[in-house]
Amino acid sequence: MGSNLEPVPITPQKHDPAWKHVQMFKNGEKVMLKCIYCLKMFKGGGIHRIKEHLACQKGNASTCCRVPHDVRLSMQQSLDGVVVKKRKKQRFEEEIMNVAPLATAVHSTIANQVDVSEGFQSIGIQNSVEHNSNMLLNHIEGVSKGVERRKKLRASKNYTKSDAATEKNAVFLKKLDSRIHMTIGRFLYDIGAPFDAVNSIYFQEMVEAIASGGSGIERPSRQEIRGWVLRNSVEEVKNDIDRCKMTWGRTGCSILVDQWSTDSGRTLLCFLAYCPEGIVFLKSLDATEIMASSEYLFELIKQVVEEVGVGQVLQVITSGEEQYAAAGRQLTDTFPTLYWSPSAAHCIDLILEDIGNLEWIGAVIEQARSITRFVYNHSAVLNMVRRYTLGNDIVDPSISRFATNFTSLKRMVDLKHNLQAMVTSQEWMDCPYSKKTAGLEMLDCLSNQTFWSSCEMIVRLTAPLLRVLRIAASEMRPAMGYIYAGMYRAKEAIKRELVKREDYTVYWNIIHHRWERLWYHPLHAAGFFLNPKFFYSIQGDMHNEILSGMFDCIERLVPDTRVQDKITKEINLYKTAAGDFGRKMAVRARDNLLPSEWWSTYGGGCPNLSRLAIRILSQTCSVVSCKRNQIPFEQTMNTRNHIERQHLTDLVFVHYNLRLRQMFMNKEQNFSDPLSFDHVGNVDEWIRAKDLYEEEYGSNWTTLDPASVNTMLLRPLNDEAEELGEGFDDHEIFSCMKDGDGENGGKPLTIDQSNHVFVSET
């Protein structure tokens, strides 16, 4: 990409779904768009052309060769919807515009009727005719002149009348929208639906279906929703799952075991299956009575593996607790062709928790929280902050409360100058809250260079780990080809930042303590080995631990010894970039194609290795689940009637899979409001008040300015995987030292706040 291209943030006002799949750049005065999948640049044509490109519709744009199937389908549906909406809008405008001529015709008819009536009255009163004749002639003359004047005025003001009609139509439509929105709001409030229900793709489909049906449409009955509608939905979801299953023979799948705690204290296990085509919910079980038994856990997981098909499953992913580890060991002994893996996202979250518990880091986090608690409990202060940050929030909710600690610190660092400008402004000086104790403390903190230096240091230490977390938990692409390189980069960044071995080994020991079972996991090592972007960037010999992991995968995942020998020979062709591997197109595509797509495109000369590579590189590394609220698991477990229990089980099956499908289709993370109840568990420590009953807060939510996703002031978020770069030659990182290594003996570090010097804790 040329250096003269300046990235431009995509504002929230751009509502077209295609904006989620492009990047915008400015070249001088010209705006250019870039497809995030095939990286093609578009110099014109607007977002509609991008949508045609993603929908693979030939005509105005070339088709995208890398767009995921679900995105292509979504773009095709959007294009179809645009045509339908355009036709509806044209019909509606025609109907509205016909109102004006109709009113004119009615007015003319009434006027004519009045004239005729007056004429009859004149004929009927003979004595008045002569007396009024002059007046009548004058009246007719005046009317004729008035008509002429109106004709001339009409001819000279056609454009103005058109504008007035358009403005009236716009006002009418706005009032109509307001009435519709109020009606929708009342319905959602009545049923207690979450506010983000309006973001559901199915909500928009419902609105469009109702609009297309016209005013005479009848609502479905309760029995219809419980009956044939649910029955058809179950079949529809099963058909979608069958389409996913058809790809498992080629890509394999991962079984995900997600553990939930219900409001009543029960433990629920949800079983899901992951493949590049999507995540599907298989079933759920009440495991409250058996969680302590690894034997029972093994039996449950074993049953699911057999139902899916042992030959389809490459790995089973659970959390890392000991009972799961024991069940996992028993599982791999029973099925020697699959692996057990602890969830990578869960392990990284625990690493972030441990880092946040270091004394000096915990102190800085608490300082930052004291600012945000004050801001988010006073609407006037929050309004001022959002004005100075151009609509951005200073709390950034993440997938867990430990990750939120560091994403929020990063957000505050990104907005540092804006916050400092606010607390030194005259507007802040005149604000009554600036004189309060918390307001004065916020001023001191935001003006303290030591505080900011500490925040910036923490951000540099944890940003690489947050990147690995986003890769591990992403639905954007299978994580298996990137997770090993991501953790390497995280350790490398910490070492580069702290320089001294006794300093960086403190953080390395924290990582090793939580990541030990994954650092040498054969699937992770093989994913790194088979990703051409990383494999060909290593100077010299591949590290032995990575080679061993690759060979272990060959032996476990390919039981046929003859095929194993063929794969070993084909690895040599891969190492030397022989045949199609060495083509210029293949070399360029190492950075552009997903690893599995690269093997599918250029691995024809090594069919056995290619099949194995595609299966490994198509897997995730973490348990991925949707939002847990609003899924009626409790009802299912509390129902003792077999018929109703099956009915509710089918409802959960449809509900969960629809939410997973929507999550998978919406690959860009939605805007998260820190004040939303949906995020209360992750942001509570950043926004909670000391006492909800204190009158001094005096906040009024109705006066609160809305937040936005204005990224103008924030650092651009590029493709996380692309930022992993090349070159993996630090053997100290590969050696993976154990806890207690290093001159500091694994003791935590503290920070001298007066001079920002790191010292060992004695």
Side-chain angles (χ1 to χ4, degrees), residues 353-591:
E353 179 187 11
D354 291 344
I355 291 176
N357 287 335
L358 292 177
E359 184 179 343
W360 78 272
I361 292 181
V364 174
I365 290 174
E366 191 55 38
Q367 279 183 289
R369 286 174 180 168
S370 69
I371 296 172
T372 60
R373 288 169 185 162
F374 174 64
V375 169
Y376 280 90
N377 284 282
H378 298 84
S379 54
V381 180
L382 182 53
N383 280 340
M384 193 182 301
V385 168
R386 285 177 174 174
R387 284 198 299 275
Y388 275 84
T389 61
L390 301 186
N392 288 290
D393 271 298
I394 55 175
V395 172
D396 184 14
S398 188
I399 64 175
S400 72
R401 61 192 183 96
F402 305 122
T404 297
N405 289 338
F406 300 107
T407 56
S408 295
L409 277 185
K410 182 181 183 303
R411 176 65 60 84
M412 290 184 70
V413 169
D414 289 341
L415 300 173
K416 168 185 174 181
H417 298 298
N418 304 83
L419 295 174
Q420 289 180 328
M422 187 196 83
V423 295
T424 55
S425 68
Q426 188 61 45
E427 182 182 7
W428 175 252
M429 301 298 181
D430 296 337
C431 174
Y433 292 105
S434 67
K435 311 300 190 298
K436 292 184 178 292
T437 302
L440 295 171
E441 290 175 352
M442 183 172 79
L443 172 62
D444 290 342
C445 193
L446 294 178
S447 304
N448 189 333
Q449 184 54 41
T450 300
F451 168 75
W452 287 113
S453 298
S454 300
C455 288
E456 289 165 1
M457 172 64 76
I458 294 171
V459 168
R460 290 195 295 271
L461 292 175
T462 58
L465 287 168
L466 290 172
R467 177 176 59 193
V468 184
L469 179 61
R470 287 189 291 269
I471 292 173
S474 173
E475 300 87 46
M476 189 75 177
R477 64 179 75 205
M480 191 59 74
Y482 302 94
I483 199 73
Y484 194 100
M487 191 54 72
Y488 178 100
R489 287 285 179 249
K491 293 179 64 178
E492 182 183 53
I494 292 170
K495 178 180 179 179
R496 185 171 59 248
E497 190 64 42
L498 298 178
V499 181
K500 292 183 180 179
R501 190 170 185 270
E502 62 269 22
D503 290 343
Y504 64 74
T505 52
V506 173
Y507 299 89
W508 278 20
N509 287 338
I510 291 175
I511 292 173
H512 299 158
H513 175 63
R514 299 295 187 179
W515 197 256
E516 183 177 4
R517 281 184 294 203
L518 289 174
W519 186 253
Y520 293 128
H521 196 289
L523 278 175
H524 290 199
F528 179 88
F529 183 92
L530 294 169
N531 188 330
K533 178 182 176 68
F534 305 139
F535 179 84
Y536 290 112
S537 70
I538 292 181
Q539 301 295 325
D541 295 332
M542 180 70 66
H543 194 274
N544 185 62
E545 294 295 342
I546 298 174
L547 283 172
S548 295
M550 182 65 204
F551 293 143
D552 190 272
C553 283
I554 295 172
E555 290 179 336
R556 177 168 283 271
L557 301 179
V558 185
D560 190 329
T561 56
R562 292 173 299 176
V563 178
Q564 290 178 7
D565 294 340
K566 292 178 181 178
I567 290 175
T568 304
K569 293 179 181 178
E570 291 172 358
I571 283 178
N572 292 324
L573 299 177
Y574 175 52
K575 286 181 177 179
T576 58
D580 290 338
F581 291 141
R583 289 183 179 274
K584 292 181 179 179
M585 291 190 302
V587 173
R588 292 195 303 270
R590 293 171 187 171
D591 295 325

Side-chain angles (χ1 to χ4, degrees), residues 171 251 254 291 316 336 344 405 414 468 584 605 612 667 736 761:
V171 172
T251 65
S254 298
M291 282 307 300
V316 173
N405 289 338
D414 289 341
V468 184
K584 292 181 179 179
L612 178 62
K667 295 189 180 292
C736 189
E761 193 179 52

Side-chain angles (χ1 to χ4, degrees), residues 102-136:
L102 180 60
T104 304
V106 170
H107 179 74
S108 301
T109 303
I110 293 173
N112 291 336
Q113 289 174 350
V114 171
D115 290 343
V116 170
S117 146
E118 288 177 352
F120 278 118
Q121 289 174 2
S122 299
I123 293 171
I125 306 175
Q126 298 294 333
N127 293 333
S128 302
V129 172
E130 290 183 8
H131 177 73
N132 294 327
S133 60
N134 290 332
M135 292 179 63
L136 183 60

Side-chain angles (χ1 to χ4, degrees), residues 472-719:
S474 173
E475 300 87 46
M476 189 75 177
R477 64 179 75 205
M480 191 59 74
Y482 302 94
I483 199 73
Y484 194 100
M487 191 54 72
Y488 178 100
R489 287 285 179 249
K491 293 179 64 178
E492 182 183 53
I494 292 170
K495 178 180 179 179
R496 185 171 59 248
E497 190 64 42
L498 298 178
V499 181
K500 292 183 180 179
R501 190 170 185 270
E502 62 269 22
D503 290 343
Y504 64 74
T505 52
V506 173
Y507 299 89
W508 278 20
N509 287 338
I510 291 175
I511 292 173
H512 299 158
H513 175 63
R514 299 295 187 179
W515 197 256
E516 183 177 4
R517 281 184 294 203
L518 289 174
W519 186 253
Y520 293 128
H521 196 289
L523 278 175
H524 290 199
F528 179 88
F529 183 92
L530 294 169
N531 188 330
K533 178 182 176 68
F534 305 139
F535 179 84
Y536 290 112
S537 70
I538 292 181
Q539 301 295 325
D541 295 332
M542 180 70 66
H543 194 274
N544 185 62
E545 294 295 342
I546 298 174
L547 283 172
S548 295
M550 182 65 204
F551 293 143
D552 190 272
C553 283
I554 295 172
E555 290 179 336
R556 177 168 283 271
L557 301 179
V558 185
D560 190 329
T561 56
R562 292 173 299 176
V563 178
Q564 290 178 7
D565 294 340
K566 292 178 181 178
I567 290 175
T568 304
K569 293 179 181 178
E570 291 172 358
I571 283 178
N572 292 324
L573 299 177
Y574 175 52
K575 286 181 177 179
T576 58
D580 290 338
F581 291 141
R583 289 183 179 274
K584 292 181 179 179
M585 291 190 302
V587 173
R588 292 195 303 270
R590 293 171 187 171
D591 295 325
N592 300 333
L593 289 180
L594 292 176
S596 59
E597 294 176 353
W598 187 86
W599 279 95
S600 178
T601 305
Y602 301 106
C606 300
N608 300 288
L609 178 60
S610 180
R611 277 193 293 272
L612 178 62
I614 291 170
R615 288 173 68 83
I616 292 174
L617 295 168
S618 296
Q619 306 310 310
T620 185
C621 297
S622 304
V623 175
V624 181
S625 62
C626 67
K627 291 181 181 178
R628 302 175 180 184
N629 59 340
Q630 303 300 314
I631 298 181
F633 287 118
E634 291 276 13
Q635 296 179 31
T636 304
M637 290 185 288
N638 291 334
T639 301
R640 307 305 298 175
N641 180 274
H642 289 288
I643 295 176
E644 183 61 11
R645 188 182 185 90
Q646 183 57 49
H647 183 266
L648 290 172
T649 299
D650 282 345
L651 177 61
V652 168
F653 176 76
V654 171
H655 193 151
Y656 205 148
N657 277 296
L658 289 181
R659 296 193 71 128
L660 285 169
R661 186 200 299 174
Q662 181 171 209
M663 180 184 72
F664 208 78
M665 291 177 67
N666 186 14
K667 295 189 180 292
E668 181 174 306
Q669 186 178 7
N670 289 327
F671 163 66
S672 297
D673 183 357
L675 294 179
S676 170
F677 186 78
D678 291 337
H679 303 292
V680 66
N682 293 340
V683 304
D684 184 55
E685 294 174 315
W686 288 82
I687 65 170
R688 68 184 177 193
K690 292 181 180 178
D691 185 353
L692 284 177
Y693 301 99
E694 287 185 10
E695 294 183 0
E696 68 172 74
Y697 290 109
S699 296
N700 185 352
W701 71 269
T702 62
T703 64
L704 195 62
D705 296 335
S708 67
V709 196
N710 189 331
T711 58
M712 185 66 72
L713 301 178
L714 306 179
R715 298 170 187 174
L717 290 176
N718 299 321
D719 188 316

Side-chain angles (χ1 to χ4, degrees), residues 269-288:
L269 293 183
C270 293
F271 295 91
L272 306 97
Y274 173 96
C275 74
E277 288 297 313
I279 309 172
V280 297
F281 168 71
L282 301 173
K283 65 179 181 179
S284 61
L285 294 167
D286 184 357
T288 307

